[in-house]
Amino acid sequence: MTRQLALLGSAVALMLSAGAAGAVDLPIRKPGLWEMKMVHTGGPVPEMTMQHCTDETTDKEMSTAASPMAKQICSKQDIQKTATGYVSDSVCGIAGVNVTSHAEITGDFNSAYTIKSTSHSEGGAHGSRDATMTVEAKWLGACKSDQKPGDIIMPGGMKMNVKDMDKLKSLLPKQK
């Protein structure tokens, strides 16, 4: 159960970072099935690979759906265009844990992209902790016949859909 919660937490963090809008919006990914390999240090799950079926409408909806959740828990959420891609900086707090993160995003969003992020967390049961995460995403082709846009297939076959963001919001602890 703890592993499932960690996977869910990683998926929520990924959706918030992918959907958060600041001064600049990230490009829309090529429609189809994307494989995302996440390598994480300083956290409960060192590595996981998931797949995400998407289309233009879903990617746009992710931006507008995740943004209100990010606004609820983040005091800073900024994305800027750079010469090599994009840079994102955020400061978020949830359940007594404050997280400051910096991410560099490169790639063409048609065949592959990479997100390299560093974060510093303070508070909660683990005290102060630094972590890094790299997401390597590559386009695999068309979504499978049993998938619809928004489906995320987690390790072990657990499936969820990003269009169910309201269900994920109910899992977040209430801010005081």
Side-chain angles (χ1 to χ4, degrees), residues 23-171:
V24 174
D25 289 329
L26 291 175
I28 300 298
R29 294 178 293 171
K30 181 177 183 176
L33 188 60
W34 285 85
E35 179 179 86
M36 295 178 288
K37 179 181 177 183
M38 300 170 66
V39 178
H40 191 256
T41 61
V45 181
E47 182 177 315
M48 81 170 158
T49 300
M50 64 178 117
Q51 293 183 344
H52 185 202
C53 173
T54 190
D55 63 6
E56 184 176 349
T57 302
T58 303
D59 256 17
K60 286 180 182 176
E61 286 176 358
M62 277 183 60
S63 180
T64 58
S67 186
M69 191 184 334
K71 286 179 184 173
Q72 288 177 2
I73 65 172
C74 300
S75 61
K76 177 182 181 181
Q77 195 73 1
D78 187 45
I79 298 174
Q80 297 294 325
K81 178 90 173 100
T82 67
T84 57
Y86 299 84
V87 171
S88 171
D89 290 291
S90 63
V91 178
C92 303
I94 187 165
V97 178
N98 293 312
V99 181
T100 302
S101 64
H102 174 82
E104 296 180 7
I105 306 158
T106 57
D108 64 9
F109 294 86
N110 284 313
S111 61
Y113 63 91
T114 301
I115 303 171
K116 293 183 179 186
S117 68
T118 57
S119 64
H120 177 76
S121 304
E122 290 191 16
H126 298 288
S128 179
R129 179 171 31 179
D130 292 317
T132 63
M133 181 169 64
T134 300
V135 178
E136 294 177 350
K138 65 180 177 181
W139 188 77
L140 299 178
C143 295
K144 296 176 183 172
S145 61
D146 65 337
Q147 296 173 335
K148 62 182 185 269
D151 281 351
I152 295 178
I153 296 82
M154 305 292 286
M158 183 176 106
K159 186 193 286 190
M160 61 186 217
N161 194 291
V162 297
K163 294 181 179 182
D164 297 329
M165 289 296 284
D166 286 336
K167 293 177 186 174
L168 295 176
K169 281 194 258 186
S170 70
L171 297 175

Side-chain angles (χ1 to χ4, degrees), residues 3-17 38 40 44-45 48 50 133 154 160:
R3 180 168 165 77
Q4 287 177 327
L5 289 174
L7 292 173
L8 182 60
S10 295
V12 170
L14 178 64
M15 285 184 276
L16 283 173
S17 67
M38 300 170 66
H40 191 256
V45 181
M48 81 170 158
M50 64 178 117
M133 181 169 64
M154 305 292 286
M160 61 186 217

